[in-house]
Coordinates of all heavy atoms in Angstrom, one line a residue:
G58 N -9.8 10.6 7.6 CA -11.0 10.1 6.9 C -10.9 9.9 5.4 O -11.9 9.6 4.8
T59 N -9.7 10.0 4.9 CA -9.5 9.8 3.5 C -8.9 8.5 3.1 O -7.9 8.1 3.7 CB -8.6 10.9 2.9 OG1 -9.2 12.2 3.2 CG2 -8.4 10.8 1.4
A60 N -9.5 7.7 2.2 CA -9.0 6.4 1.8 C -7.8 6.7 0.9 O -7.8 7.6 0.2 CB -10.1 5.6 1.1
F61 N -6.9 5.7 1.0 CA -5.7 5.8 0.1 C -5.3 4.4 -0.3 O -5.6 3.4 0.4 CB -4.5 6.6 0.7 CG -3.9 6.0 1.9 CD1 -2.8 5.1 1.8 CD2 -4.5 6.2 3.1 CE1 -2.2 4.6 2.9 CE2 -3.9 5.6 4.3 CZ -2.8 4.8 4.2
T62 N -4.6 4.2 -1.4 CA -4.1 2.9 -1.9 C -2.6 3.1 -2.1 O -2.2 4.1 -2.6 CB -4.8 2.6 -3.2 OG1 -6.2 2.6 -3.0 CG2 -4.3 1.2 -3.7
Y63 N -1.9 2.1 -1.6 CA -0.4 2.1 -1.7 C 0.1 0.8 -2.2 O -0.6 -0.2 -2.2 CB 0.2 2.5 -0.4 CG 0.0 1.4 0.7 CD1 0.8 0.4 0.9 CD2 -1.2 1.5 1.5 CE1 0.6 -0.6 1.9 CE2 -1.5 0.6 2.5 CZ -0.6 -0.5 2.7 OH -0.8 -1.4 3.6
A64 N 1.3 0.8 -2.7 CA 2.0 -0.4 -3.1 C 3.3 -0.5 -2.3 O 3.9 0.6 -2.1 CB 2.3 -0.5 -4.6
F65 N 3.7 -1.6 -1.9 CA 5.0 -1.8 -1.2 C 5.7 -3.0 -1.7 O 5.1 -4.1 -1.9 CB 4.7 -1.9 0.3 CG 5.9 -1.8 1.2 CD1 6.6 -0.6 1.3 CD2 6.3 -2.9 1.9 CE1 7.7 -0.5 2.1 CE2 7.4 -2.8 2.7 CZ 8.1 -1.6 2.8
S66 N 7.0 -2.8 -2.0 CA 7.8 -3.9 -2.6 C 8.8 -4.3 -1.5 O 9.5 -3.5 -1.0 CB 8.5 -3.4 -3.8 OG 9.4 -4.4 -4.3
I67 N 8.8 -5.6 -1.2 CA 9.7 -6.2 -0.2 C 10.7 -7.2 -0.9 O 10.2 -8.2 -1.4 CB 8.9 -7.0 0.9 CG1 7.8 -6.1 1.4 CG2 9.9 -7.5 2.0 CD1 6.8 -6.9 2.2
P68 N 12.0 -6.9 -1.0 CA 12.9 -7.8 -1.6 C 13.1 -9.1 -0.7 O 12.8 -9.1 0.5 CB 14.2 -7.0 -1.6 CG 13.9 -5.6 -1.4 CD 12.6 -5.6 -0.6
A69 N 13.4 -10.2 -1.4 CA 13.7 -11.4 -0.7 C 14.6 -11.2 0.5 O 15.7 -10.5 0.3 CB 14.2 -12.4 -1.7
G70 N 14.3 -11.7 1.6 CA 15.2 -11.7 2.8 C 15.0 -10.5 3.7 O 15.6 -10.4 4.7
V71 N 14.2 -9.5 3.3 CA 14.0 -8.3 4.1 C 12.8 -8.5 5.1 O 11.8 -9.0 4.7 CB 13.7 -7.1 3.2 CG1 13.3 -5.8 4.0 CG2 14.9 -6.8 2.4
W72 N 13.1 -8.1 6.3 CA 12.0 -8.2 7.4 C 11.9 -6.9 8.1 O 12.8 -6.2 8.3 CB 12.5 -9.3 8.4 CG 12.2 -10.7 7.8 CD1 13.0 -11.4 6.9 CD2 11.1 -11.5 8.0 NE1 12.4 -12.6 6.6 CE2 11.3 -12.7 7.3 CE3 9.9 -11.3 8.8 CZ2 10.3 -13.7 7.3 CZ3 9.0 -12.4 8.8 CH2 9.2 -13.5 8.0
D73 N 10.7 -6.6 8.5 CA 10.3 -5.5 9.3 C 10.1 -5.9 10.7 O 9.3 -6.8 10.9 CB 9.0 -4.9 8.7 CG 9.0 -3.4 8.6 OD1 10.0 -2.7 9.1 OD2 8.1 -2.8 8.1
G74 N 10.7 -5.2 11.7 CA 10.5 -5.6 13.1 C 9.1 -5.3 13.6 O 8.3 -4.7 12.9
P75 N 8.8 -5.7 14.8 CA 7.5 -5.5 15.4 C 7.1 -4.0 15.3 O 7.8 -3.1 15.8 CB 7.6 -6.0 16.8 CG 8.7 -7.0 16.7 CD 9.7 -6.4 15.7
H76 N 5.8 -3.8 14.8 CA 5.3 -2.4 14.6 C 3.8 -2.5 14.6 O 3.2 -3.6 14.4 CB 5.9 -1.8 13.4 CG 5.5 -2.4 12.1 ND1 6.2 -3.6 11.7 CD2 4.6 -2.2 11.2 CE1 5.6 -4.0 10.5 NE2 4.6 -3.1 10.2
S77 N 3.2 -1.3 14.6 CA 1.7 -1.2 14.5 C 1.4 0.0 13.6 O 2.3 0.9 13.4 CB 1.0 -1.1 15.8 OG 1.4 0.1 16.5
H78 N 0.2 0.0 13.1 CA -0.3 1.1 12.3 C -1.4 1.8 12.9 O -2.2 1.2 13.7 CB -0.7 0.6 10.9 CG 0.4 -0.1 10.1 ND1 1.6 0.6 9.7 CD2 0.6 -1.4 9.8 CE1 2.4 -0.3 9.1 NE2 1.8 -1.5 9.2
S79 N -1.6 3.1 12.6 CA -2.7 3.8 13.2 C -4.1 3.5 12.6 O -5.1 3.9 13.2 CB -2.5 5.3 13.0 OG -2.3 5.6 11.6
A80 N -4.1 2.8 11.5 CA -5.4 2.5 10.8 C -5.3 1.0 10.3 O -4.2 0.5 10.1 CB -5.7 3.4 9.7
T81 N -6.5 0.4 10.2 CA -6.5 -1.0 9.6 C -6.1 -1.0 8.2 O -6.4 -0.1 7.4 CB -8.0 -1.5 9.7 OG1 -8.4 -1.5 11.1 CG2 -8.1 -2.9 9.1
A82 N -5.2 -1.9 7.9 CA -4.7 -2.1 6.5 C -5.3 -3.3 5.9 O -5.4 -4.4 6.5 CB -3.2 -2.3 6.6
R83 N -5.8 -3.1 4.7 CA -6.4 -4.2 3.9 C -5.4 -4.5 2.8 O -5.2 -3.6 1.9 CB -7.7 -3.8 3.4 CG -8.8 -3.8 4.5 CD -10.0 -2.9 4.2 NE -10.9 -2.9 5.3 CZ -10.8 -2.0 6.3 NH1 -9.8 -1.2 6.4 NH2 -11.7 -2.0 7.3
V84 N -4.7 -5.6 2.8 CA -3.6 -5.9 2.0 C -3.8 -7.0 1.0 O -4.3 -8.1 1.4 CB -2.3 -6.2 2.8 CG1 -1.1 -6.6 2.0 CG2 -2.0 -5.0 3.7
F85 N -3.5 -6.8 -0.3 CA -3.6 -7.9 -1.3 C -2.2 -8.2 -1.7 O -1.4 -7.3 -2.0 CB -4.4 -7.3 -2.5 CG -4.4 -8.3 -3.7 CD1 -5.1 -9.5 -3.7 CD2 -3.6 -8.0 -4.8 CE1 -5.1 -10.3 -4.7 CE2 -3.6 -8.9 -5.9 CZ -4.3 -10.1 -5.8
V86 N -1.8 -9.5 -1.7 CA -0.5 -9.9 -2.1 C -0.5 -10.0 -3.6 O -1.1 -11.0 -4.2 CB 0.0 -11.2 -1.4 CG1 1.4 -11.6 -1.9 CG2 -0.1 -11.1 0.1
A87 N 0.1 -9.1 -4.3 CA 0.1 -9.1 -5.8 C 1.2 -10.0 -6.4 O 1.0 -10.4 -7.6 CB 0.2 -7.7 -6.3
K88 N 2.3 -10.2 -5.7 CA 3.4 -10.9 -6.3 C 4.2 -11.5 -5.1 O 4.4 -10.8 -4.1 CB 4.3 -10.0 -7.1 CG 5.5 -10.6 -7.7 CD 6.3 -9.5 -8.5 CE 7.5 -10.1 -9.1 NZ 8.3 -9.1 -9.9
G89 N 4.7 -12.7 -5.3 CA 5.6 -13.3 -4.2 C 4.7 -13.9 -3.1 O 3.6 -14.4 -3.4
A90 N 5.2 -13.7 -1.9 CA 4.5 -14.3 -0.7 C 4.9 -13.4 0.5 O 6.1 -13.3 0.8 CB 4.9 -15.7 -0.5
L91 N 3.9 -12.9 1.2 CA 4.1 -12.1 2.4 C 4.0 -13.0 3.6 O 3.2 -13.9 3.7 CB 3.0 -11.1 2.5 CG 3.0 -10.2 3.8 CD1 4.2 -9.3 3.8 CD2 1.7 -9.4 3.9
R92 N 5.0 -12.9 4.5 CA 5.0 -13.6 5.7 C 4.7 -12.6 6.9 O 5.3 -11.6 6.9 CB 6.3 -14.3 6.0 CG 6.5 -15.5 5.0 CD 7.8 -16.3 5.2 NE 8.0 -16.7 6.6 CZ 9.1 -17.2 7.1 NH1 10.2 -17.2 6.3 NH2 9.2 -17.6 8.3

Side-chain angles (χ1 to χ4, degrees):
T59 299
F61 65 95
T62 304
Y63 63 92
F65 192 65
S66 175
I67 308 164
V71 172
W72 284 81
D73 219 358
H76 62 282
S77 63
H78 302 292
S79 57
T81 297
R83 290 158 180 84
V84 176
F85 174 73
V86 182
K88 178 181 179 180
L91 176 67
R92 289 181 55 194

